[in-house]
PDB file of all heavy atoms in Angstrom:
ATOM      1  N   VAL J   1      69.729-108.298 -17.851  1.00  0.00           N
ATOM      2  CA  VAL J   1      69.002-107.360 -18.725  1.00  0.00           C
ATOM      3  C   VAL J   1      68.819-108.016 -20.068  1.00  0.00           C
ATOM      4  O   VAL J   1      69.910-108.472 -20.697  1.00  0.00           O
ATOM      5  CB  VAL J   1      69.649-105.981 -18.868  1.00  0.00           C
ATOM      6  CG1 VAL J   1      68.846-105.214 -19.846  1.00  0.00           C
ATOM      7  CG2 VAL J   1      69.603-105.370 -17.447  1.00  0.00           C
ATOM      8  N   PHE J   2      67.679-108.099 -20.527  1.00  0.00           N
ATOM      9  CA  PHE J   2      67.410-108.656 -21.978  1.00  0.00           C
ATOM     10  C   PHE J   2      66.475-107.604 -22.652  1.00  0.00           C
ATOM     11  O   PHE J   2      65.708-106.866 -21.986  1.00  0.00           O
ATOM     12  CB  PHE J   2      66.596-109.859 -21.968  1.00  0.00           C
ATOM     13  CG  PHE J   2      67.267-111.088 -21.227  1.00  0.00           C
ATOM     14  CD1 PHE J   2      67.114-111.239 -19.858  1.00  0.00           C
ATOM     15  CD2 PHE J   2      67.981-112.048 -21.918  1.00  0.00           C
ATOM     16  CE1 PHE J   2      67.642-112.285 -19.114  1.00  0.00           C
ATOM     17  CE2 PHE J   2      68.653-113.076 -21.255  1.00  0.00           C
ATOM     18  CZ  PHE J   2      68.365-113.206 -19.913  1.00  0.00           C
ATOM     19  N   THR J   3      66.481-107.645 -24.043  1.00  0.00           N
ATOM     20  CA  THR J   3      65.240-107.167 -24.745  1.00  0.00           C
ATOM     21  C   THR J   3      64.154-108.237 -24.515  1.00  0.00           C
ATOM     22  O   THR J   3      64.354-109.356 -24.492  1.00  0.00           O
ATOM     23  CB  THR J   3      65.606-106.934 -26.297  1.00  0.00           C
ATOM     24  OG1 THR J   3      65.870-108.184 -26.838  1.00  0.00           O
ATOM     25  CG2 THR J   3      66.768-105.964 -26.463  1.00  0.00           C
ATOM     26  N   TRP J   4      62.942-107.719 -24.436  1.00  0.00           N
ATOM     27  CA  TRP J   4      61.840-108.604 -24.260  1.00  0.00           C
ATOM     28  C   TRP J   4      61.702-109.533 -25.403  1.00  0.00           C
ATOM     29  O   TRP J   4      61.383-110.713 -25.305  1.00  0.00           O
ATOM     30  CB  TRP J   4      60.476-107.877 -23.881  1.00  0.00           C
ATOM     31  CG  TRP J   4      59.346-108.800 -23.913  1.00  0.00           C
ATOM     32  CD1 TRP J   4      58.199-108.686 -24.578  1.00  0.00           C
ATOM     33  CD2 TRP J   4      59.161-109.929 -22.997  1.00  0.00           C
ATOM     34  NE1 TRP J   4      57.383-109.707 -24.239  1.00  0.00           N
ATOM     35  CE2 TRP J   4      57.974-110.491 -23.338  1.00  0.00           C
ATOM     36  CE3 TRP J   4      60.107-110.542 -22.172  1.00  0.00           C
ATOM     37  CZ2 TRP J   4      57.467-111.679 -22.704  1.00  0.00           C
ATOM     38  CZ3 TRP J   4      59.667-111.786 -21.552  1.00  0.00           C
ATOM     39  CH2 TRP J   4      58.310-112.278 -21.736  1.00  0.00           C
ATOM     40  N   GLU J   5      61.826-109.084 -26.638  1.00  0.00           N
ATOM     41  CA  GLU J   5      61.771-109.882 -27.879  1.00  0.00           C
ATOM     42  C   GLU J   5      62.668-111.063 -27.823  1.00  0.00           C
ATOM     43  O   GLU J   5      62.300-112.197 -28.141  1.00  0.00           O
ATOM     44  CB  GLU J   5      62.030-109.021 -29.158  1.00  0.00           C
ATOM     45  CG  GLU J   5      61.851-109.794 -30.384  1.00  0.00           C
ATOM     46  CD  GLU J   5      62.141-108.843 -31.607  1.00  0.00           C
ATOM     47  OE1 GLU J   5      62.582-107.759 -31.493  1.00  0.00           O
ATOM     48  OE2 GLU J   5      61.769-109.368 -32.772  1.00  0.00           O
ATOM     49  N   PHE J   6      63.943-110.821 -27.473  1.00  0.00           N
ATOM     50  CA  PHE J   6      64.942-111.886 -27.397  1.00  0.00           C
ATOM     51  C   PHE J   6      64.682-112.869 -26.317  1.00  0.00           C
ATOM     52  O   PHE J   6      64.571-114.055 -26.496  1.00  0.00           O
ATOM     53  CB  PHE J   6      66.364-111.333 -27.183  1.00  0.00           C
ATOM     54  CG  PHE J   6      67.393-112.308 -26.972  1.00  0.00           C
ATOM     55  CD1 PHE J   6      68.025-112.839 -28.118  1.00  0.00           C
ATOM     56  CD2 PHE J   6      67.792-112.808 -25.724  1.00  0.00           C
ATOM     57  CE1 PHE J   6      68.941-113.887 -28.018  1.00  0.00           C
ATOM     58  CE2 PHE J   6      68.831-113.651 -25.548  1.00  0.00           C
ATOM     59  CZ  PHE J   6      69.415-114.193 -26.691  1.00  0.00           C
ATOM     60  N   LEU J   7      64.405-112.384 -25.146  1.00  0.00           N
ATOM     61  CA  LEU J   7      64.077-113.289 -23.926  1.00  0.00           C
ATOM     62  C   LEU J   7      62.786-114.121 -24.187  1.00  0.00           C
ATOM     63  O   LEU J   7      62.816-115.262 -23.884  1.00  0.00           O
ATOM     64  CB  LEU J   7      63.924-112.499 -22.716  1.00  0.00           C
ATOM     65  CG  LEU J   7      63.687-113.347 -21.438  1.00  0.00           C
ATOM     66  CD1 LEU J   7      64.682-114.383 -21.240  1.00  0.00           C
ATOM     67  CD2 LEU J   7      63.500-112.505 -20.135  1.00  0.00           C
ATOM     68  N   ARG J   8      61.799-113.493 -24.778  1.00  0.00           N
ATOM     69  CA  ARG J   8      60.515-114.304 -25.051  1.00  0.00           C
ATOM     70  C   ARG J   8      60.789-115.496 -25.911  1.00  0.00           C
ATOM     71  O   ARG J   8      60.188-116.535 -25.533  1.00  0.00           O
ATOM     72  CB  ARG J   8      59.481-113.257 -25.773  1.00  0.00           C
ATOM     73  CG  ARG J   8      58.120-113.874 -25.857  1.00  0.00           C
ATOM     74  CD  ARG J   8      57.251-112.848 -26.526  1.00  0.00           C
ATOM     75  NE  ARG J   8      55.910-113.136 -26.445  1.00  0.00           N
ATOM     76  CZ  ARG J   8      55.245-114.066 -27.148  1.00  0.00           C
ATOM     77  NH1 ARG J   8      55.825-114.832 -28.044  1.00  0.00           N
ATOM     78  NH2 ARG J   8      53.968-114.336 -26.869  1.00  0.00           N
ATOM     79  N   GLU J   9      61.644-115.393 -26.971  1.00  0.00           N
ATOM     80  CA  GLU J   9      61.923-116.504 -27.743  1.00  0.00           C
ATOM     81  C   GLU J   9      62.644-117.727 -26.998  1.00  0.00           C
ATOM     82  O   GLU J   9      62.409-118.834 -27.008  1.00  0.00           O
ATOM     83  CB  GLU J   9      62.757-116.126 -28.927  1.00  0.00           C
ATOM     84  CG  GLU J   9      62.046-115.215 -30.045  1.00  0.00           C
ATOM     85  CD  GLU J   9      62.981-114.876 -31.074  1.00  0.00           C
ATOM     86  OE1 GLU J   9      64.092-115.378 -31.142  1.00  0.00           O
ATOM     87  OE2 GLU J   9      62.471-114.068 -31.994  1.00  0.00           O
ATOM     88  N   ARG J  10      63.596-117.196 -26.054  1.00  0.00           N
ATOM     89  CA  ARG J  10      64.384-118.210 -25.255  1.00  0.00           C
ATOM     90  C   ARG J  10      63.423-118.912 -24.325  1.00  0.00           C
ATOM     91  O   ARG J  10      63.519-120.030 -23.989  1.00  0.00           O
ATOM     92  CB  ARG J  10      65.441-117.478 -24.635  1.00  0.00           C
ATOM     93  CG  ARG J  10      66.471-116.742 -25.391  1.00  0.00           C
ATOM     94  CD  ARG J  10      67.387-117.609 -26.229  1.00  0.00           C
ATOM     95  NE  ARG J  10      66.807-118.065 -27.527  1.00  0.00           N
ATOM     96  CZ  ARG J  10      66.652-117.224 -28.534  1.00  0.00           C
ATOM     97  NH1 ARG J  10      66.952-115.935 -28.422  1.00  0.00           N
ATOM     98  NH2 ARG J  10      66.110-117.675 -29.763  1.00  0.00           N
ATOM     99  N   LEU J  11      62.496-118.142 -23.722  1.00  0.00           N
ATOM    100  CA  LEU J  11      61.641-118.700 -22.699  1.00  0.00           C
ATOM    101  C   LEU J  11      60.668-119.806 -23.365  1.00  0.00           C
ATOM    102  O   LEU J  11      60.501-120.840 -22.759  1.00  0.00           O
ATOM    103  CB  LEU J  11      60.634-117.651 -22.112  1.00  0.00           C
ATOM    104  CG  LEU J  11      61.386-116.548 -21.366  1.00  0.00           C
ATOM    105  CD1 LEU J  11      60.398-115.483 -20.981  1.00  0.00           C
ATOM    106  CD2 LEU J  11      61.959-117.106 -20.051  1.00  0.00           C
ATOM    107  N   LEU J  12      60.298-119.581 -24.558  1.00  0.00           N
ATOM    108  CA  LEU J  12      59.362-120.446 -25.214  1.00  0.00           C
ATOM    109  C   LEU J  12      60.152-121.789 -25.559  1.00  0.00           C
ATOM    110  O   LEU J  12      59.632-122.919 -25.434  1.00  0.00           O
ATOM    111  CB  LEU J  12      58.723-119.831 -26.617  1.00  0.00           C
ATOM    112  CG  LEU J  12      57.804-118.798 -26.376  1.00  0.00           C
ATOM    113  CD1 LEU J  12      57.403-118.190 -27.643  1.00  0.00           C
ATOM    114  CD2 LEU J  12      56.429-119.224 -25.607  1.00  0.00           C
ATOM    115  N   GLU J  13      61.374-121.616 -25.961  1.00  0.00           N
ATOM    116  CA  GLU J  13      62.271-122.759 -26.188  1.00  0.00           C
ATOM    117  C   GLU J  13      62.488-123.551 -24.896  1.00  0.00           C
ATOM    118  O   GLU J  13      62.428-124.845 -24.944  1.00  0.00           O
ATOM    119  CB  GLU J  13      63.631-122.288 -26.707  1.00  0.00           C
ATOM    120  CG  GLU J  13      63.580-121.734 -28.094  1.00  0.00           C
ATOM    121  CD  GLU J  13      64.834-121.202 -28.597  1.00  0.00           C
ATOM    122  OE1 GLU J  13      65.751-121.192 -27.747  1.00  0.00           O
ATOM    123  OE2 GLU J  13      64.988-120.501 -29.654  1.00  0.00           O
ATOM    124  N   ASP J  14      62.640-122.796 -23.729  1.00  0.00           N
ATOM    125  CA  ASP J  14      62.967-123.509 -22.532  1.00  0.00           C
ATOM    126  C   ASP J  14      61.721-124.304 -21.953  1.00  0.00           C
ATOM    127  O   ASP J  14      61.832-125.391 -21.395  1.00  0.00           O
ATOM    128  CB  ASP J  14      63.403-122.493 -21.448  1.00  0.00           C
ATOM    129  CG  ASP J  14      63.766-123.168 -20.147  1.00  0.00           C
ATOM    130  OD1 ASP J  14      64.916-123.650 -20.008  1.00  0.00           O
ATOM    131  OD2 ASP J  14      62.945-123.225 -19.223  1.00  0.00           O
ATOM    132  N   LEU J  15      60.522-123.814 -22.194  1.00  0.00           N
ATOM    133  CA  LEU J  15      59.273-124.356 -21.807  1.00  0.00           C
ATOM    134  C   LEU J  15      59.172-125.800 -22.331  1.00  0.00           C
ATOM    135  O   LEU J  15      58.663-126.802 -21.718  1.00  0.00           O
ATOM    136  CB  LEU J  15      58.038-123.573 -22.220  1.00  0.00           C
ATOM    137  CG  LEU J  15      57.660-122.495 -21.271  1.00  0.00           C
ATOM    138  CD1 LEU J  15      56.489-121.634 -21.906  1.00  0.00           C
ATOM    139  CD2 LEU J  15      57.207-123.023 -19.882  1.00  0.00           C
ATOM    140  N   ASP J  16      59.611-126.020 -23.599  1.00  0.00           N
ATOM    141  CA  ASP J  16      59.537-127.259 -24.230  1.00  0.00           C
ATOM    142  C   ASP J  16      60.717-128.214 -24.099  1.00  0.00           C
ATOM    143  O   ASP J  16      60.764-129.202 -24.644  1.00  0.00           O
ATOM    144  CB  ASP J  16      59.313-127.045 -25.718  1.00  0.00           C
ATOM    145  CG  ASP J  16      57.933-126.359 -25.997  1.00  0.00           C
ATOM    146  OD1 ASP J  16      56.987-126.505 -25.223  1.00  0.00           O
ATOM    147  OD2 ASP J  16      57.865-125.638 -27.040  1.00  0.00           O
ATOM    148  N   ASN J  17      61.740-127.740 -23.347  1.00  0.00           N
ATOM    149  CA  ASN J  17      62.975-128.565 -23.174  1.00  0.00           C
ATOM    150  C   ASN J  17      62.885-129.257 -21.851  1.00  0.00           C
ATOM    151  O   ASN J  17      63.060-128.805 -20.881  1.00  0.00           O
ATOM    152  CB  ASN J  17      64.159-127.392 -23.148  1.00  0.00           C
ATOM    153  CG  ASN J  17      65.506-128.205 -23.093  1.00  0.00           C
ATOM    154  OD1 ASN J  17      65.637-129.414 -23.061  1.00  0.00           O
ATOM    155  ND2 ASN J  17      66.498-127.443 -23.101  1.00  0.00           N
ATOM    156  N   GLU J  18      62.699-130.511 -21.972  1.00  0.00           N
ATOM    157  CA  GLU J  18      62.551-131.433 -20.866  1.00  0.00           C
ATOM    158  C   GLU J  18      63.851-131.570 -20.144  1.00  0.00           C
ATOM    159  O   GLU J  18      63.847-132.043 -18.957  1.00  0.00           O
ATOM    160  CB  GLU J  18      61.997-132.821 -21.192  1.00  0.00           C
ATOM    161  CG  GLU J  18      60.542-132.766 -21.858  1.00  0.00           C
ATOM    162  CD  GLU J  18      59.940-134.149 -22.031  1.00  0.00           C
ATOM    163  OE1 GLU J  18      60.700-134.998 -21.933  1.00  0.00           O
ATOM    164  OE2 GLU J  18      58.731-134.148 -22.573  1.00  0.00           O
ATOM    165  N   ALA J  19      64.959-131.467 -20.856  1.00  0.00           N
ATOM    166  CA  ALA J  19      66.286-131.593 -20.173  1.00  0.00           C
ATOM    167  C   ALA J  19      66.711-130.405 -19.413  1.00  0.00           C
ATOM    168  O   ALA J  19      67.598-130.390 -18.665  1.00  0.00           O
ATOM    169  CB  ALA J  19      67.335-131.927 -21.202  1.00  0.00           C
ATOM    170  N   SER J  20      66.013-129.275 -19.521  1.00  0.00           N
ATOM    171  CA  SER J  20      66.328-128.046 -18.831  1.00  0.00           C
ATOM    172  C   SER J  20      66.067-128.003 -17.300  1.00  0.00           C
ATOM    173  O   SER J  20      64.859-128.676 -17.008  1.00  0.00           O
ATOM    174  CB  SER J  20      65.749-126.849 -19.478  1.00  0.00           C
ATOM    175  OG  SER J  20      65.946-125.607 -18.773  1.00  0.00           O
ATOM    176  N   SER J  21      66.760-127.466 -16.520  1.00  0.00           N
ATOM    177  CA  SER J  21      66.350-127.238 -15.142  1.00  0.00           C
ATOM    178  C   SER J  21      65.674-125.903 -14.939  1.00  0.00           C
ATOM    179  O   SER J  21      65.284-125.559 -13.846  1.00  0.00           O
ATOM    180  CB  SER J  21      67.658-127.336 -14.259  1.00  0.00           C
ATOM    181  OG  SER J  21      68.498-126.226 -14.477  1.00  0.00           O
ATOM    182  N   HIS J  22      65.397-125.202 -16.043  1.00  0.00           N
ATOM    183  CA  HIS J  22      64.566-124.041 -16.138  1.00  0.00           C
ATOM    184  C   HIS J  22      65.233-122.947 -15.084  1.00  0.00           C
ATOM    185  O   HIS J  22      64.482-122.215 -14.520  1.00  0.00           O
ATOM    186  CB  HIS J  22      63.178-124.314 -15.679  1.00  0.00           C
ATOM    187  CG  HIS J  22      62.564-125.399 -16.425  1.00  0.00           C
ATOM    188  ND1 HIS J  22      62.306-125.375 -17.805  1.00  0.00           N
ATOM    189  CD2 HIS J  22      62.336-126.707 -15.982  1.00  0.00           C
ATOM    190  CE1 HIS J  22      61.873-126.582 -18.182  1.00  0.00           C
ATOM    191  NE2 HIS J  22      61.825-127.384 -17.162  1.00  0.00           N
ATOM    192  N   ASP J  23      66.504-122.733 -15.216  1.00  0.00           N
ATOM    193  CA  ASP J  23      67.210-121.819 -14.359  1.00  0.00           C
ATOM    194  C   ASP J  23      68.145-120.922 -15.156  1.00  0.00           C
ATOM    195  O   ASP J  23      68.781-121.413 -16.062  1.00  0.00           O
ATOM    196  CB  ASP J  23      67.981-122.559 -13.250  1.00  0.00           C
ATOM    197  CG  ASP J  23      68.669-121.625 -12.207  1.00  0.00           C
ATOM    198  OD1 ASP J  23      68.028-121.235 -11.300  1.00  0.00           O
ATOM    199  OD2 ASP J  23      69.836-121.370 -12.414  1.00  0.00           O
ATOM    200  N   PHE J  24      68.104-119.600 -14.822  1.00  0.00           N
ATOM    201  CA  PHE J  24      68.957-118.689 -15.576  1.00  0.00           C
ATOM    202  C   PHE J  24      70.337-119.070 -15.411  1.00  0.00           C
ATOM    203  O   PHE J  24      71.169-119.122 -16.417  1.00  0.00           O
ATOM    204  CB  PHE J  24      68.749-117.236 -15.097  1.00  0.00           C
ATOM    205  CG  PHE J  24      67.556-116.600 -15.657  1.00  0.00           C
ATOM    206  CD1 PHE J  24      66.381-116.442 -14.898  1.00  0.00           C
ATOM    207  CD2 PHE J  24      67.457-116.247 -16.990  1.00  0.00           C
ATOM    208  CE1 PHE J  24      65.195-115.812 -15.455  1.00  0.00           C
ATOM    209  CE2 PHE J  24      66.287-115.624 -17.571  1.00  0.00           C
ATOM    210  CZ  PHE J  24      65.136-115.464 -16.795  1.00  0.00           C
ATOM    211  N   GLY J  25      70.895-119.285 -14.237  1.00  0.00           N
ATOM    212  CA  GLY J  25      72.239-119.513 -13.951  1.00  0.00           C
ATOM    213  C   GLY J  25      72.754-120.844 -14.505  1.00  0.00           C
ATOM    214  O   GLY J  25      73.950-120.966 -14.953  1.00  0.00           O
ATOM    215  N   ASN J  26      71.844-121.887 -14.517  1.00  0.00           N
ATOM    216  CA  ASN J  26      72.384-123.231 -14.860  1.00  0.00           C
ATOM    217  C   ASN J  26      72.186-123.432 -16.341  1.00  0.00           C
ATOM    218  O   ASN J  26      72.938-124.236 -16.927  1.00  0.00           O
ATOM    219  CB  ASN J  26      71.513-124.261 -14.131  1.00  0.00           C
ATOM    220  CG  ASN J  26      71.917-124.327 -12.612  1.00  0.00           C
ATOM    221  OD1 ASN J  26      72.965-123.975 -12.297  1.00  0.00           O
ATOM    222  ND2 ASN J  26      71.035-124.876 -11.801  1.00  0.00           N
ATOM    223  N   ASP J  27      71.163-122.848 -16.935  1.00  0.00           N
ATOM    224  CA  ASP J  27      70.818-123.171 -18.333  1.00  0.00           C
ATOM    225  C   ASP J  27      70.918-122.048 -19.314  1.00  0.00           C
ATOM    226  O   ASP J  27      71.749-122.116 -20.306  1.00  0.00           O
ATOM    227  CB  ASP J  27      69.391-123.729 -18.375  1.00  0.00           C
ATOM    228  CG  ASP J  27      69.140-125.004 -17.402  1.00  0.00           C
ATOM    229  OD1 ASP J  27      69.769-125.976 -17.684  1.00  0.00           O
ATOM    230  OD2 ASP J  27      68.404-124.822 -16.383  1.00  0.00           O
ATOM    231  N   MET J  28      70.144-120.984 -19.082  1.00  0.00           N
ATOM    232  CA  MET J  28      70.059-120.000 -20.156  1.00  0.00           C
ATOM    233  C   MET J  28      71.259-119.248 -20.376  1.00  0.00           C
ATOM    234  O   MET J  28      71.760-119.034 -21.461  1.00  0.00           O
ATOM    235  CB  MET J  28      68.703-119.084 -19.841  1.00  0.00           C
ATOM    236  CG  MET J  28      68.640-118.025 -21.011  1.00  0.00           C
ATOM    237  SD  MET J  28      67.134-117.057 -20.804  1.00  0.00           S
ATOM    238  CE  MET J  28      65.787-118.242 -21.094  1.00  0.00           C
ATOM    239  N   ILE J  29      71.891-118.623 -19.267  1.00  0.00           N
ATOM    240  CA  ILE J  29      72.938-117.720 -19.399  1.00  0.00           C
ATOM    241  C   ILE J  29      74.263-118.476 -19.913  1.00  0.00           C
ATOM    242  O   ILE J  29      74.845-117.949 -20.930  1.00  0.00           O
ATOM    243  CB  ILE J  29      73.395-117.173 -18.007  1.00  0.00           C
ATOM    244  CG1 ILE J  29      72.152-116.300 -17.482  1.00  0.00           C
ATOM    245  CG2 ILE J  29      74.552-116.184 -18.247  1.00  0.00           C
ATOM    246  CD1 ILE J  29      71.672-115.257 -18.382  1.00  0.00           C
TER     247      ILE J  29
END
């Protein structure tokens, strides 16, 4: 569970992160 405002910022950061595997469990959490 996130606030949409907080998650939205994190999603935009992840889109531009070439080192990310783009996964909640591996990266964002």
Side-chain angles (χ1 to χ4, degrees):
V1 176
F2 302 88
T3 63
W4 173 235
E5 181 181 10
F6 175 86
L7 179 59
R8 192 181 192 281
E9 293 179 6
R10 304 288 86 73
L11 294 174
L12 292 173
E13 293 172 2
D14 185 83
L15 276 173
D16 296 330
N17 185 356
E18 295 183 359
S20 174
S21 64
H22 311 290
D23 185 82
F24 281 105
N26 289 337
D27 303 296
M28 185 175 290
I29 302 304

